Amino acid sequence: MDISITQRLSFKQASLTVLVAFILGTALSVIQVGIDYASEDASINREISALMEISHNPAARIAYNIDAELAQELVLGLLRSPAVISAEIIDNSHMTLASVSRPPDTDRYRLFSDFLFGERRHFETPLFVSHSPQEALGLLRLEVDTYAFGSHFLRRAMLTLLTGFARSLLLSLILLVLFYFMLTKPLTEVIRALSGRDLHTPNHSKLPCPRGHERDEIGILVDATNQQLSSIAMEIEQRYAAENRLTEHLNALENVVAARTGELEASNTRLLESNRELQQAKRTALDMALARSAFLANMSHEIRTPLNGLLGMLALSLDGPLSNEQRQQLSIAHDSGKILVELLNDILDLSKFEAGQLELESLPFDLGTMVEDTASLLSQNALPNVELTCLIDPQLPARVLGDPTRVRQIISNLLSNALKFTRFGRVDIHVDSSPAGIRITVRDTGIGIAEAARARIYQPFAQAEIGITRQFGGTGLGLALTRRLCEAMQGRLELESREGFGSKFCAELPLPSYAPAPALPALKGRIAALSSANSGLSELLGRLLPAWGLTYQRLDTDASLLGITADLLISDCPECLPGMRPVCNAPILLVTAYGSFLPGEQAHALAPLEQIARPLSRHTLLQALRRGLGQEMESAPAPSPIEQQSGRRARVLLVEDNPVNQLVAKGMLGKLGCEVVLANHGGEALSQLQQGNIDLVLMDCNMPVMDGYEASRRVRQGGHHPGLPIIALTANALSDERERCRAAGMSDYLAKPFRREELAALLERWLPTPADPSAAP
Ligand code: ADP
């Protein structure tokens, strides 16, 4: 341990003490010198005054006697005094009796003396004799050199200051030594002992206390340090013990980890193995899913083709002359076939959902008309006591964007359920535009759905109750599909129901508007309606007729028409009419249930009478009103799209290899007013097309020799028939089929088996009418 002298505690202590002592000593010395100076200064005057007093009497006598010789001796005697440098005796006539002087001493320190005491001082005293003190005899004058006194003073002052310094120096030396032995040395010993210890190893030996310091601060410091050292030693021991334990644990842990790693590696290998197996299983499952899809597609094709034939032929037969019994039997067969097709379609759709293959289209379509058409189609299923009504919001956009096929499926499922589960009362379908898009509400007064069954009915193959199938039929697939379809369109399906009182299904579909609501027709006239207040007809007429500019008055079915002036009478009560005729001769519009028209003679008796089947579509009602009120539009009726501009019938090339399907499609096309040209495969179709004059091609996809895809591709590549519509006929239900047909150049797609209405709608869409030559999209 090496501490420089100036940093040592003893030096600092000593130097501080000495500094204080020096300042104090110097101050005291200066005070002492000051006092000495004052007394020296006074002693000059005192001594010279004493000298002059001693010399006064001799000098007075000498002046009295005017003795120059004695005067000279006296002044010489005065000059011997070391301070006197000049002495003079002057008589009363101012004559100098004796005068002596000598030069003052020169010395290099006299400057200080002269500064302190003045260079010289003059003394004079009047001379007189004691018996005549008033008589002035002359003057004794002395000049004194102060240096004789000042030099003594300077010597003393110097000595005082020097001894003061020497004292301080000595004191500091003594203190330094004392402090060194009392403070620095014992501390240095303690520090040396402390720094010699290894603090990392536990050491319980105590630091030695410097001798003689056991009870002072150093002793206490050593004791406190010893306590700290012993607790540090203990902590180190504990830490070592803990570290040892930790090391043991670590070793144990390493062993466990090694064991676990071994196990993990083993299970990893097993996992990899099972992963490989899973991958394999996944591949197999995917292959199986693909195979299932392909199987479904093929199966649907295989089932649909004969079904198509079956249904087509039945429909054709039903149009021919039949006995009632035959018609009934064939109708049952036809209906059963249709149910089979629907079931097949539902199962296929569900499997498409499950395979994530359902793709939605976005096409503009007239939702209102679609609802009315679907309702009209399904009205055949309504019991005679059930009134089916379509209530379309007049603000509903003329066309909305969405997937028309799937929206129709939703409407048809909800409506057919409502009709199926309602034995009497009303089934209404409301279509409104809502802030979220479109709201389709189907409300019925049927059996309702129990609270407990509401969650279940959306499960595939689930019904509200066990006896439902037996009583009403059905498979339990409709609602499952409907809900999935609503959700796929980002919409939702909600249900409100009271068991025994009816149900209300509400489908909210966010279908954007494509074309705004059409302008409302403007009619003139007074209409009287004979219908009960809570009938669907009353509600429909109450909404539409005033909006169309007509004056509308509803009468209860048992009311009399006497005194009522109406331009047209609308009623849904055939029994009420015969009694009315005598008092009202306005034309009658009778709205009846499906298939319940009045027979010829009854109708004749009520003439002028027009009968319309429920549900009333807006278009049908409007036309009937115009006719009844004599306000028919001037324009000529638009020719059927099937009839071309030239007046000739549309020529449709039917490319189909299956003779049954050929027969069915040919029959339907013939009924729709088309001329059919047949081709058995793609090759034949190409040569038929070369002969020209074909307006539309119905192309089966899977055919021998040349399939429909290849044939369509060639037609498009040939470029001879640029605008020719080619409609794919396919029983393949998979979602990529439509894309495949489009890629081959086909214009549209018709799934087999198809109904006559579907074929008619398609022809309407693709065969341009003179009024609207650009109708084809
Ligand atoms: P399905 O009608 O073929 O049985 P759905 O999935 O369409 O299958 O309907 C499931 C069940 O929900 C029906 O069996 C019936 O119990 C109940 N349900 C559906 N719609 C109605 C309704 N409008 N009124 C009463 N019950 C209904």
Side-chain angles (χ1 to χ4, degrees), residues 38 267 326 363 703:
S267 71
Q326 284 171 326
L363 299 171
M703 289 177 293

Side-chain angles (χ1 to χ4, degrees), residues 16-27 168 171 175:
L16 267 177
T17 316
V18 167
L19 183 68
V20 173
F22 176 74
I23 292 168
L24 271 175
T26 308
S168 297
L171 185 68
L175 284 176

Side-chain angles (χ1 to χ4, degrees), residues 417-418 420-421 444 447-449 457 462-465 468 473-480 503 505:
N417 271 350
K420 186 163 68 171
F421 295 107
D444 66 56
I447 61 170
I449 302 168
I457 54 172
Q463 296 185 316
E465 280 164 44
I468 291 276
T475 57
L477 284 174
L479 280 183
S503 316
F505 283 90

